[in-house]
Amino acid sequence: MANAADYNRWGSSEARYQPALRPSWHPGCILLTVAGFIVWWPIGLALLLYTLWSRNMGCWDRDRFAGKMERMQSKMDRMRSRMDGFGFGQPSSGNRAFDEYRMETLRRLEEEQVQFKEFLERLRHAKDKEEFDAFMAQHRTKPNPSPDNSAQG
C-alpha cells in the first residue's frame, strides 16, 4: 500500500517555488487589447497576436514541458506496476510460445528504453560540460590588464 507521505505530486520542492520568469497576462495589456478592438479591430488583433507570440503565455518553456512529460511517464509506470499486481497483465493469446516471445520482446524493449534514457542523459551532460569548458577557455584566454601597464601610460 502506498504511503501518502512518500507521494510527491508536484516534483521537487525547488521546482515548485521558483519565481516565474515571464509575467502573465497583465490587466493593462488586456485593457489595451480590448481598446484596440474597440477603436479599430486590426489594432486589437495585432496586440492579441503580439501577446500570444511574444511568449508571455509561458507555454513555450521547454523545461516545464519536459517536467510534465517526466511526471506523466512516472505516473504511467506507477499505474503499470499497480496493475501488474492485480493480474491485469498482457492477455494471453492462447499460444504459450508467442506469449513468451512477446514478454521477452517487451522486456528487451523496456531495457533498451532505460539504456536510451541513460544515453540521452550522458549526452546532455557531455554537451553541458563541453559548453562550460568552452566558456572557461574563452574567459581564461582574455589578458588581464596589469596595474603596471596602466601606470606607465
Side-chain angles (χ1 to χ4, degrees), residues 71-86:
R71 284 195 309 269
M72 187 181 345
Q73 182 66 38
S74 67
K75 288 178 184 178
M76 291 299 292
D77 292 340
R78 197 168 48 245
M79 184 63 74
R80 185 178 302 131
S81 67
R82 286 181 188 167
M83 290 300 165
D84 287 343
F86 290 112

Side-chain angles (χ1 to χ4, degrees), residues 1-150:
M1 183 130 217
N3 187 353
D6 295 335
Y7 184 64
N8 190 354
R9 185 177 188 125
W10 294 282
S12 66
S13 60
E14 296 87 20
R16 280 186 284 176
Y17 299 113
Q18 288 182 352
L21 298 176
R22 294 183 195 95
S24 59
W25 286 79
H26 189 272
C29 179
I30 295 171
L31 290 175
L32 188 63
T33 304
V34 170
F37 273 111
I38 291 172
V39 172
W40 192 45
W41 69 267
I43 293 173
L45 185 63
L47 288 170
L48 181 65
L49 292 177
Y50 173 75
T51 304
L52 292 175
W53 285 337
S54 67
R55 298 182 181 220
N56 281 339
M57 295 200 47
C59 56
W60 284 275
D61 189 6
R62 288 184 192 155
D63 294 333
R64 184 174 145 211
F65 179 73
K68 284 186 178 186
M69 291 304 291
E70 288 174 12
R71 284 195 309 269
M72 187 181 345
Q73 182 66 38
S74 67
K75 288 178 184 178
M76 291 299 292
D77 292 340
R78 197 168 48 245
M79 184 63 74
R80 185 178 302 131
S81 67
R82 286 181 188 167
M83 290 300 165
D84 287 343
F86 290 112
F88 289 113
Q90 294 289 332
S92 175
S93 67
N95 186 338
R96 271 183 53 186
F98 176 74
D99 289 341
E100 290 172 2
Y101 166 77
R102 180 178 58 193
M103 292 304 292
E104 178 63 28
T105 303
L106 290 175
R107 186 194 56 77
R108 182 181 50 83
L109 288 173
E110 287 175 356
E111 287 177 2
E112 288 177 4
Q113 180 184 14
V114 168
Q115 291 172 354
F116 184 69
K117 284 182 181 179
E118 291 171 354
F119 168 74
L120 286 179
E121 191 63 35
R122 287 193 311 268
L123 192 65
R124 287 184 191 117
H125 177 71
K127 182 181 176 191
D128 290 345
K129 183 170 176 26
E130 178 183 328
E131 289 175 356
F132 177 74
D133 291 342
F135 173 79
M136 292 303 291
Q138 180 184 11
H139 285 284
R140 283 187 193 134
T141 59
K142 287 185 179 179
N144 291 335
S146 64
D148 298 338
N149 292 343
S150 61

